[in-house]
Amino acid sequence: MAVNLFISAFTFGGGYIVVPMVRRFFVAKKQYFTEDDLLDMAAVAQSTPGAIAVNLSALAGYRAAGIAGALISCFAAVVPPLVILTFVSAFYKIFISNTIVAAVLKGMEAGVAALMVDIIADMCFAILKKRSLFLSAMIPLSFVANYVFGINVVFILLFCCILCMLRVFYNR
């Protein structure tokens, strides 16, 4: 529970920012599961309804300690943001005009960007490690589709999911 409280309290931005912290504590330090297990859990957490941070915490907690671990992890993932947002909203007028708070938030944006680059690099490395031309080609093609042609990410994800499902059915 303490680990998930720590992760939730210090991963402002949520989403994939949680993945490197979960890797650090659950994969590297505690070795409750492998790097591949974490990437699979991150994929499941992203595809299920709700916040990815809470979903991933629940999956990690379940993997580490069963149903009780999942419930405790969910609670631990929700409490810090709830407390922080309650505090910030109570003193919103003071925070919004404070230049130090604004500077801290700008610095946090840079930290979040660095963590996002880290998780994207790790995911690409995991895909390349599988040595599949099909999966490896999806990385640059998805980037080009979004960045060059401006195709919405939702359509790119749907297209990639359909291609992967067709590939699974074809291989069977």
Side-chain angles (χ1 to χ4, degrees):
M1 181 170 164
V3 169
N4 281 324
L5 281 170
F6 176 81
I7 290 171
S8 182
F10 291 99
T11 52
F12 298 98
Y16 279 110
I17 305 311
V18 173
V19 177
M21 296 292 282
V22 170
R23 176 188 307 112
R24 186 170 168 208
F25 287 102
F26 287 95
V27 175
K29 285 187 179 182
K30 301 287 185 183
Q31 298 177 345
Y32 287 133
F33 40 85
T34 66
E35 182 81 25
D36 287 339
D37 292 336
L38 175 62
L39 290 175
D40 291 342
M41 287 189 295
V44 170
Q46 179 188 9
S47 62
T48 54
I52 187 174
V54 176
N55 293 342
L56 185 58
S57 292
L59 291 169
Y62 181 78
R63 186 61 82 94
I67 292 176
L71 293 173
I72 291 169
S73 292
C74 283
F75 179 77
V78 172
V79 169
L82 183 67
V83 170
I84 292 167
L85 288 174
T86 301
F87 181 75
V88 168
S89 64
F91 299 102
Y92 180 74
K93 290 189 184 227
I94 296 170
F95 280 116
I96 198 69
S97 62
N98 190 319
T99 55
I100 294 172
V101 171
V104 167
L105 291 174
K106 273 293 184 201
M108 291 169 78
E109 284 179 19
V112 167
L115 286 171
M116 288 178 76
V117 168
D118 179 53
I119 189 63
I120 289 168
D122 286 346
M123 288 179 146
C124 289
F125 179 72
I127 289 170
L128 295 173
K129 197 164 73 171
K130 296 208 182 276
R131 296 190 189 275
S132 166
L133 181 61
F134 176 77
L135 294 175
S136 297
M138 279 188 179
I139 298 169
L141 291 175
S142 296
F143 176 79
V144 168
N146 180 258
Y147 189 75
V148 175
F149 296 111
I151 298 172
N152 191 308
V153 174
V154 173
F155 297 121
I156 296 169
L157 287 172
L158 286 172
F159 183 72
C160 288
C161 287
I162 291 168
L163 281 178
C164 287
M165 286 189 285
L166 290 173
R167 181 176 178 228
V168 168
F169 289 128
Y170 177 77
N171 287 340
R172 286 188 181 175

